[in-house]
């Protein structure tokens, strides 16, 4: 069970690592290029569709972290959990409010810039999660 939990967790970590770097380097900067008159509709579709990918991955990471903490308290698992908590905290404290503003206001260069800048925190956290998941206990 521990091996399966570790495998599922690491697969989710690799997926989130890949996704967050795509978001940081390609998707969020492209927000500046979306036409103003179609931005709100486009952004609503983007956030809905990306949720089908992100939510299951985040839940898989959280679930495997919780299971591993029940049976194993290796330092790498503790650090991985701390980085996951940091990623979630930044997501809900910084990223979600930016997306809500974009949802309401449309293309706002200041909000997009803030989203890109603060997303570096999530990018660093999910990169650390993936690296910690890769390290042996």
């Amino acid at each position: 069970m521990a091996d399966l939990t570790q495998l599922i967790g690491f697969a989710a970590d690799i997926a989130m690592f890949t996704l967050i770097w795509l978001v940081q380097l390609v998707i969020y900067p492209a927000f500046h290029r979306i036409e103003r008159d179609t931005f709100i509709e486009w952004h609503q579709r983007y956030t809905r569709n990306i949720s089908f990918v992100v939510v299951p991955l985040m839940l898989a990471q959280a679930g495997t972290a919780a299971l591993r903490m029940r049976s194993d308290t290796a330092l790498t698992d503790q650090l991985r959990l701390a980085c996951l908590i940091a990623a979630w905290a930044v997501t809900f404290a910084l990223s979600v409010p930016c997306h809500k503003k974009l949802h309401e206001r449309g293309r706002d260069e200041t909000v997009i810039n803030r989203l890109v800048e603060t997303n570096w925190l999530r990018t660093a956290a999910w990169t650390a999660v993936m690296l910690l998941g890769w390290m042996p206990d």
Side-chain angles (χ1 to χ4, degrees), residues 22-42:
L22 283 170
V23 165
Q24 184 61 26
L25 298 178
V26 179
I27 297 169
Y28 283 175
F31 282 13
H32 291 289
R33 304 272 186 231
I34 308 299
E35 295 293 329
R36 287 190 188 280
D37 59 335
T38 60
F39 186 90
I40 290 176
E41 178 187 341
W42 182 91

Side-chain angles (χ1 to χ4, degrees), residues 70-118:
R70 287 184 55 201
S71 62
D72 189 1
T73 57
L75 179 59
T76 54
D77 288 331
Q78 294 172 23
L79 291 172
R80 180 177 174 267
L81 178 59
C83 290
L84 281 173
I85 291 168
W88 280 53
V90 172
T91 296
F92 292 106
L94 300 175
S95 301
V96 169
C98 285
H99 282 292
K100 284 183 179 179
K101 287 178 184 173
L102 293 173
H103 222 60
E104 295 165 1
R105 300 180 191 170
R107 194 177 94 190
D108 182 319
E109 305 303 321
T110 303
V111 176
I112 294 169
N113 289 337
R114 177 159 171 75
L115 186 61
V116 172
E117 290 166 11
T118 59

Side-chain angles (χ1 to χ4, degrees), residues 51 57 123:
S51 295
L57 292 174
T123 303

Side-chain angles (χ1 to χ4, degrees), residues 113-135:
N113 289 337
R114 177 159 171 75
L115 186 61
V116 172
E117 290 166 11
T118 59
N119 196 58
W120 279 114
L121 298 169
R122 292 194 310 167
T123 303
W126 265 307
T127 299
V129 167
M130 192 275 303
L131 292 172
L132 289 163
W134 183 49
M135 295 176 73

